[in-house]
Amino acid sequence: MTDRELMELAQRAREYSYCPYSRFRVGAALLAKSGKVYTGCNIENAGYSATNCAERTAFFKAVSEGEKAFEAIAIVGGREGETAPFTAPCGVCRQVMAEFCAPDLKVLLGTPEIFQAYTLGSLLPFAFTSEDL
Ligand code: THU
């Protein structure tokens, strides 16, 4: 699985986005160390706080199927009908990533055509984790 293929899967996952309120479609593709890819989309709710981001959908799908080790996540977002040049994961999603992944998790951001690799550690420095408890 190349980084570009993972970005393309994230782009495709946007098709299933349920976003009648924001009309902002996000897709994520999470590559587990097992080699399996789990995709996710954002799922909104009339009670806005019940909304689930694409990244968390992908993580919760994977963890609920027994995965605990991850290699990379690709994220693509944008308003309906367009692809934003860059969609960053929200703080809650970064925290969920930190629960299961080391700071070297690869986070791919951008579009399938132009993207960049970041690390979770660079996106969430000084994370609060189980080590702190
Ligand atoms: N959203 C995500 O799914 N992931 C992100 O990284 C940023 C935001 C969703 C939440 C909401 O459904 C919509 O985008 C607008 O905030």
Side-chain angles (χ1 to χ4, degrees):
M1 171 70 47
T2 65
D3 289 355
R4 177 153 187 158
E5 283 166 343
L6 203 61
M7 288 296 284
E8 278 162 2
L9 290 175
Q11 173 76 295
R12 234 183 285 157
R14 292 180 66 211
E15 287 167 25
Y16 298 116
S17 166
Y18 174 76
C19 56
Y21 308 107
S22 73
R23 306 235 169 252
F24 192 84
R25 290 181 175 268
V26 186
L30 175 62
L31 176 62
K33 288 205 168 145
S34 66
K36 269 183 82 173
V37 174
Y38 296 82
T39 58
C41 63
N42 54 328
I43 304 169
E44 297 187 344
N45 192 282
Y48 292 179
S49 62
T51 291
N52 207 60
C53 289
E55 298 87 328
R56 273 176 287 148
T57 303
F59 264 92
F60 296 157
K61 279 172 69 178
V63 173
S64 68
E65 292 185 31
E67 302 282 4
K68 290 262 176 5
F70 302 99
E71 199 87 41
I73 185 167
I75 302 159
V76 179
R79 287 194 210 119
E80 227 148 62
E82 47 189 86
T83 303
F86 181 90
T87 299
C90 82
V92 173
C93 289
R94 294 178 202 204
Q95 184 67 28
V96 168
M97 292 176 200
E99 183 68 24
F100 298 102
C101 307
D104 67 350
L105 174 79
K106 197 198 289 183
V107 183
L108 302 170
L109 303 177
T111 69
E113 293 75 35
I114 304 172
F115 59 88
Q116 201 171 316
Y118 301 83
T119 62
L120 176 59
S122 73
L123 298 174
L124 188 65
F126 305 108
F128 183 84
T129 69
S130 58
E131 313 266 287
D132 298 299
L133 290 174

